[in-house]
Amino acid sequence: MRVVVVIPVRDGAASVAACVGACLGQTRRPDEVVVVDNGSTDATALLAAQAGARVVTEDTPGSYRARNRGWRSAEADVVAFTDVDCVPTPTWLAELVAPFEDDPTVAGTGGAIVQDELVSASQRWLVERRFLDQAFNSSEAFMPFFATANAAYRRRTLERLGGFDEAFLSGGDNDMSWRIQALTDERLVFRPEAVVHHHVGRRLGEVTGRSRRYAAGNVLLERRWSAFPGYPPDPGVLARTRRVWQLPAAVAYRLMTHRPVSVSFVDAAVALSAERGRRQGRRAARTAVLAPVPVPGTGARPRRRVDQPV
């Protein structure tokens, strides 16, 4: 079984060598590491090549467009994805691809994403709120999904579904996992033993920026999936921003229970940033072309075809 690792990156000179080096240093060495330079203005491409990756170029911005460019440029049975701000542990790839070896019904796998630094309030918030927690993603109430910071898919599945939908600037990893469960008879497997250490910096802006992008992507996800059985309705702006107007009570509660109050302030900042993202997403949705997802018959429920560890 031929396995290729694809890493999309834009201006990642500070971290690309470490990421590529960790991918090549696996106990199950990949047949190739492909770095997709998505319009970098720094030395990303040079440093990636020096570290041992094959570099391809995708000038049009978009991480899902870059991922598609990467897997389509490679000969592989299984394509593993990670991000330039991640450093996989040495056994990551062996654990991530093991389910594909003996079971042809496995279409994709996902592993654990661990924040590698817990110094600032926003970094601690990430862990407490499970913001990048892949175990949380894999038990999502509608249908589970895997973030592409740590996921792998069979090439035939990517080909069958046309790859990641490039209309998404965020949320395309949710969409891919959901399409596998809704449109195929294949399944996904969560592998917590397949670990990548993910670095989100100390500044609050790194968290609120992610929240804004994810919220913008959620608008497109709602447009495509809202008619599908089980998709949660939009709770409305009051519910989405409750962390803001409940801030005084939340701070008082955390003081009484001797817990860090900074989490409540980050909650409020993230909620406000997400509302900005939703406005951006609504503007993008006006021109986005999204193929509809076939809706099953009345009373049908999502199939939730994800195996959890015992």
Side-chain angles (χ1 to χ4, degrees):
M1 183 173 67
R2 184 174 173 84
V3 179
V4 169
V5 177
V6 171
I7 307 166
V9 56
R10 176 182 173 89
D11 292 338
S15 55
V16 69
C19 182
V20 170
C23 291
L24 289 172
Q26 296 291 301
T27 56
R28 198 282 189 212
R29 186 180 172 91
D31 293 278
E32 187 177 35
V33 173
V34 179
V35 167
V36 186
D37 185 1
N38 194 204
S40 296
T41 58
D42 61 11
T44 291
L46 175 63
L47 294 172
Q50 290 176 345
R54 177 168 65 88
V55 178
V56 298
T57 300
E58 174 53 64
D59 292 328
T60 303
S63 64
Y64 301 111
R65 185 181 295 272
R67 291 183 182 98
N68 284 339
R69 175 77 173 89
W71 71 260
R72 285 172 176 147
S73 76
E75 294 183 7
D77 301 297
V78 172
V79 183
F81 296 94
T82 191
D83 291 337
V84 74
D85 53 5
C86 295
V87 176
T89 58
T91 59
W92 164 68
L93 195 60
E95 296 288 354
L96 193 64
V97 305
F100 296 103
E101 297 282 358
D102 302 314
D103 190 341
T105 70
V106 174
T109 59
I113 302 171
V114 178
Q115 168 64 15
D116 73 344
E117 182 182 68
L118 295 175
V119 175
S120 71
S122 57
Q123 290 172 328
R124 291 190 292 269
W125 177 90
L126 284 170
V127 176
E128 180 163 341
R129 295 306 189 206
R130 304 185 72 181
F131 191 68
L132 299 172
D133 189 328
Q134 197 85 308
F136 183 75
N137 295 343
S138 70
S139 59
E140 208 272 350
F142 170 53
M143 282 192 282
F145 70 94
F146 294 136
T148 41
N150 189 357
Y153 295 102
R154 288 193 192 273
R155 182 189 180 97
R156 74 177 188 219
T157 302
L158 293 171
E159 290 175 340
R160 176 179 178 181
L161 296 177
F164 296 96
D165 193 321
E166 296 173 4
F168 287 91
L169 296 180
S170 179
D173 29 17
N174 305 53
D175 181 71
M176 172 59 72
S177 295
W178 294 349
R179 281 189 288 140
I180 288 173
Q181 293 167 85
L183 304 178
T184 80
D185 291 324
E186 298 176 315
R187 60 195 181 91
L188 307 176
V189 176
F190 177 48
R191 295 284 288 184
E193 307 89 349
V195 178
V196 301
H197 290 278
H198 183 266
H199 181 74
V200 176
R202 301 177 185 181
R203 295 183 301 107
L204 176 62
E206 296 213 26
V207 170
T208 56
R210 288 172 187 271
S211 176
R212 185 171 60 253
R213 292 194 300 273
Y214 295 169
N218 285 341
V219 173
L220 289 184
L221 288 172
E222 290 168 7
R223 178 174 162 184
R224 167 169 278 172
W225 290 94
S226 60
F228 201 88
Y231 193 86
D234 179 8
V237 66
L238 283 179
R240 293 197 306 267
T241 59
R242 66 184 178 85
R243 300 286 192 183
V244 179
W245 51 267
Q246 290 180 346
L247 180 59
V251 169
Y253 174 77
R254 293 185 78 90
L255 284 171
M256 287 189 298
T257 55
H258 306 288
R259 300 166 69 188
V261 299
S262 60
V263 170
S264 297
F265 288 101
V266 178
D267 279 338
V270 164
L272 291 173
S273 182
E275 286 305 299
R276 289 180 57 199
R278 288 186 66 85
R279 288 196 296 271
Q280 294 171 356
R282 286 193 290 268
R283 289 195 295 268
R286 294 170 189 162
T287 57
V289 178
L290 294 173
V293 176
V295 177
T298 303
R301 302 292 296 174
R303 282 180 278 182
R304 299 181 57 82
R305 301 179 63 83
V306 173
D307 288 358
Q308 298 285 352
V310 177

